[in-house]
Each structure stands twice: as C-alpha cells, then as structure tokens.
Amino acid sequence: MPMSGIRPATQSGRAPRRVLGFTLIELLIVIVILGLLLSLVAPTMFSKVGSSQRKTAMAQMQMLSTALDTYRLDTGSFPASLNELRSGNTPGWDGPYLPREVPADPWGNPYVYAAKAEDPAKPYSLLSYGKDGRAGGDGDAEDIVFQ
C-alpha cells in the first residue's frame, strides 16, 4: 500500500524528477495583477500625503506657538526670531524653549514668523507658505496660517 507523497520508482529505479518553480506566464500574470492593484490603491494613498503634510505643519506651528508663549511669559515680550527660542540673552530667558533646532515645514522651507502681526488682535504671525515656498497658492501650495 503506497503512502501519500511517495512516488513510485521508474524503470531505472529512481523517482521521477519534480520541477519546482513558476513559469514565465505565471510570473507575468502575478505582475499584471499587482500592477492593477497598485493603480487602484496608489492614487488614494498619495492623496493622503498632502493632507498629512498640512496637519504636520499645523502641529509644528502649535508647538512653536507654545514655545513662543512660554518665552513671552519668561521675558515679557516675544522673540525677534524663532532662533531665540533655542538660545538667547534676554533678561528672564529660561530656555531653551525647543528640544531641538527650529524645524522646517514638511516641505523643507522655514516657517515665516513676525513678532508684530498685521492684525492688532494677534501678538505675532506664524505661517508656512506650503509646498511651493511662496506666498499665495492653491491646494498643496496654499499658505497655512496659524490662528
């Protein structure tokens, strides 16, 4: 009674050789299926990148705002530049107010900071020019203003 998985011997006394692996047509079919799946999934995933970069910029600006407010509480005024959050010689300075260097926005551009905002109701202005690094723009290039 033959056991499963054991092949009967051929006339020469050896078991027939089993060919392992995939054929070229099987590989091509798998590549086509993967390509189709990627073409359906990739646009959805890449559309999320822009919104996540905008959210990252807002989170970083929130962190910078907290550091600016703490600086003002310690010194009585806002710094002239964001670099003063890391090192300063203003009386009352008790920093550094940021754990690392001032971050760039998610597109690699510096945040735009002004100690005196154009709006008198705001003590300072903080914004990112978006993906293009220039004022104005639409979509990913739209300015992100911290409120």
Side-chain angles (χ1 to χ4, degrees), residues 57-72 74 79 81-88 93-105 111 113 124 126:
M58 284 303 294
Q60 285 179 333
M61 286 192 289
Q62 176 67 48
M63 175 198 61
L64 290 171
S65 174
T66 301
L68 288 166
D69 291 337
T70 306
Y71 181 99
R72 186 190 58 80
D74 288 348
S81 74
L82 291 175
N83 290 327
E84 290 182 36
L85 296 171
R86 289 287 301 156
S87 63
W93 192 87
D94 191 27
Y97 298 95
L98 292 174
R100 287 180 230 106
E101 294 301 314
V102 177
D105 70 10
Y111 284 102
Y113 166 74
Y124 59 86
L126 183 60

Side-chain angles (χ1 to χ4, degrees), residues 19-85:
V19 179
L20 300 175
F22 298 105
T23 64
L24 180 60
I25 197 75
E26 290 171 329
L27 289 174
L28 289 174
I29 290 171
V30 169
I31 290 171
V32 167
I33 290 171
L34 288 174
L36 288 172
L37 287 173
L38 285 175
S39 69
L40 294 173
V41 173
T44 305
M45 297 312 286
F46 287 122
S47 69
K48 301 291 184 196
V49 171
S51 66
S52 67
Q53 287 175 321
R54 294 181 65 78
K55 289 177 184 175
T56 299
M58 284 303 294
Q60 285 179 333
M61 286 192 289
Q62 176 67 48
M63 175 198 61
L64 290 171
S65 174
T66 301
L68 288 166
D69 291 337
T70 306
Y71 181 99
R72 186 190 58 80
L73 288 172
D74 288 348
T75 65
S77 63
F78 288 101
S81 74
L82 291 175
N83 290 327
E84 290 182 36
L85 296 171

